[in-house]
Amino acid sequence: MKNIMIIGGGLAGCEAALYLADAGVSVHLLDMKPSRMSPAHEDEHLGELVCSNSLRSDDPASAVGLLKAEMSLLGSSIMRAARQTAVDAGKALAVDRRQFAATLDSWVSAHPFIERSCQEITSVPEDELVILASGPLTTDELAADLMRIAGQNHLHFYDAIAPIVTLDSVDMNNAFWGDRYGEPGVGDYLNCPMTQEEWESFYAALTSSENVPLRDFEKPQFFEGCLPIEVMASRGEKTLLFGPLKPVGLEDPITGKRAHAVVQLRKENSDGSILNMVGFQTKLTYKAQQHVFRLIPALRNAEFARLGSIHRNTFVDAPRVLDPFSRLNNLPGVFIAGQLSGVEGYVESSASGLLCAVNALRIIRGQDPSAPPADTAHGGLMTHLSNTETKHFQPSNINFGLLPPLGGKKLPKKERGKAIARRALVSFSAWLTSLGIAPACEPPAI
């Protein structure tokens, strides 16, 4: 069967490679690791998770949970790897990031239909079928060539990474396990409370500490769904108290009282020895981070396994550059997958790679590409990427606002999510049937 080249071994690239290889397509996967690393990567394995180890809500009645369910129907390798390497995270799907990447890497390396090369690509191949999944940190050389072909100036925003602390360095006299609104007996988050006085000292330091300066050619365009904590804080003290430090539903089990503010820590690996500071993505200098975050009583002696950082994300102006199937208008043999296409988030990037693989396979088989129905989570993402009415395109996570509204009587929010998900799963299953694709599993009951 005809070969296909996949550039980039992140989530989108691995997802696409494994889907096509499982279908009997000869795949050539090229990634510059480990000979060259991007500024945000440090693991030699493919499929490295950088910003967080969470794939967010696992509830199929949520937008991202629905997207996961649809991906599972398609036989997603990313979802299979995530289930195999999951760590406790309440209603979220979080993974041991090292095990997750190692699992994906081993599947790719062992697959008989995948040829893997450690190679940096500096220009877009124009004479073969390609899935370009080089990610949000696409090198300047490759990005410049991509924009030459697309005929547009590239856009960028900045995505910040949260610190990780070691469990044994947390002062457990000032911390307790429990979930916001969690059921009795469930406690996947380590909560670090602050009194009003402690909060005021922390807030004053956070809003006055030194940030890593941007270079002259960079502009501070942050993604709203992943704002640095100091940027959120600059919008007013209550922004954090109604956001990631919201104390509601987190009463201390010993005192029975609610703190003024609560910082939550989430397990980063299966044994919980390292913990992610939830919502604390940051561009503070390393010195400032250690000073400010140790003002949190439970973290006064914190040891940081990783400090926060900031990096540039590159993406195309999808409504002007891509067709409805994520192919370059000016070079339809090239699919753009993952965050480079204008989706945001691990799950969304994987879903993008999966859709590109589905349509690449159809082209290889002499069939026309097909877009998922607009009332599905996958369809909602594609609608966002192809919305030419958007004047200033920005990346987006999946959300129910990208799907058409329900008709009829207005439902409460929780019931509305269930109704949208049920509609989507029926529609997505019918789409798979129309393509001759057998669902890889049963749809979840909602």
Side-chain angles (χ1 to χ4, degrees), residues 152-365:
Q152 296 283 334
N153 293 324
H154 75 270
L155 307 176
H156 62 270
F157 64 94
Y158 295 87
D159 200 2
I161 298 174
I164 295 173
V165 301
T166 61
L167 174 62
D168 59 11
S169 70
V170 177
D171 181 358
M172 296 303 293
N173 292 321
N174 286 289
F176 61 92
W177 290 99
D179 299 307
R180 189 177 284 128
Y181 310 121
E183 298 176 0
V186 177
D188 292 331
Y189 290 80
L190 185 57
N191 299 286
C192 307
M194 285 188 278
T195 64
Q196 183 172 351
E197 182 179 358
E198 291 163 345
W199 157 255
E200 289 174 351
S201 296
F202 168 80
Y203 182 78
L206 177 64
T207 53
S208 61
S209 291
E210 183 182 8
N211 293 323
V212 175
L214 299 177
R215 289 174 289 182
D216 291 341
F217 64 88
E218 296 178 327
K219 297 179 181 179
Q221 300 171 353
F222 298 105
F223 173 55
E224 283 292 324
C226 195
L227 287 173
I229 191 165
E230 62 275 5
V231 173
M232 284 190 281
S234 70
R235 297 180 176 181
E237 181 175 349
K238 292 187 177 180
T239 303
L240 295 181
L241 295 178
F242 284 93
L245 277 76
K246 179 171 62 178
V248 177
L250 293 173
E251 285 72 20
D252 189 317
I254 297 178
T255 65
K257 297 180 179 180
R258 181 185 300 172
H260 186 75
V262 175
V263 175
Q264 290 197 301
L265 309 180
R266 181 182 59 231
K267 295 177 183 177
E268 270 285 318
N269 55 8
S270 56
D271 61 10
S273 61
I274 52 176
L275 305 166
N276 185 290
M277 297 180 67
V278 178
F280 271 67
Q281 49 274 3
T282 182
K283 60 186 181 72
L284 294 177
T285 65
Y286 284 176
K287 182 178 180 180
Q289 288 180 53
Q290 294 180 70
H291 168 66
V292 174
F293 299 153
R294 284 176 178 149
L295 293 175
I296 301 166
L299 303 183
R300 68 184 73 211
N301 298 311
E303 295 179 4
F304 294 91
R306 181 191 72 191
L307 288 163
S309 64
I310 186 169
H311 57 273
R312 188 191 73 188
N313 283 357
T314 302
F315 58 96
V316 298
D317 185 7
R320 261 64 63 180
V321 168
L322 303 180
D323 74 4
F325 312 107
S326 287
R327 298 179 299 181
L328 285 171
N329 289 326
N330 294 344
L331 196 60
V334 176
F335 289 87
I336 304 296
Q339 286 187 248
L340 187 60
S341 72
V343 299
E344 173 62 27
Y346 294 144
V347 181
E348 292 86 344
S349 295
S350 305
S352 169
L354 195 53
L355 280 184
C356 288
V358 168
N359 280 316
L361 181 59
R362 289 183 63 79
I363 290 171
I364 289 171
R365 290 174 171 171

Side-chain angles (χ1 to χ4, degrees), residues 370-389:
S370 176
D375 59 2
T376 66
H378 282 81
L381 282 178
M382 299 308 294
T383 297
H384 173 68
L385 298 186
S386 59
N387 184 6
T388 55
E389 295 182 2

Side-chain angles (χ1 to χ4, degrees), residues 24 46 102 134 323 359 431:
L46 303 179
S134 49
D323 74 4
N359 280 316
W431 179 63

Side-chain angles (χ1 to χ4, degrees), residues 13-35:
C14 287
E15 183 79 276
L18 288 165
Y19 183 89
L20 288 163
D22 285 344
V25 176
S26 295
V27 176
H28 188 192
L29 177 64
L30 302 101
D31 191 276
M32 61 186 190
K33 280 186 173 185
S35 63

Side-chain angles (χ1 to χ4, degrees), residues 65-106:
L66 172 62
L67 187 60
K68 293 189 187 79
E70 293 178 5
M71 292 171 66
S72 295
L73 289 173
L74 262 173
S76 164
S77 295
I78 296 299
M79 288 298 100
R80 184 158 54 96
R83 302 291 177 198
Q84 290 186 18
T85 59
V87 298
D88 294 335
K91 294 182 179 180
L93 175 59
V95 302
D96 182 314
R97 72 172 75 207
R98 181 74 180 182
Q99 291 181 18
F100 175 81
T103 297
L104 279 176
D105 193 285
S106 67

Side-chain angles (χ1 to χ4, degrees), residues 397-414:
N397 294 115
I398 183 62
N399 62 82
F400 283 145
L402 300 180
L403 280 62
L406 294 168
K409 183 180 178 181
K410 187 175 182 180
L411 298 172
K413 183 178 180 180
K414 187 174 182 180

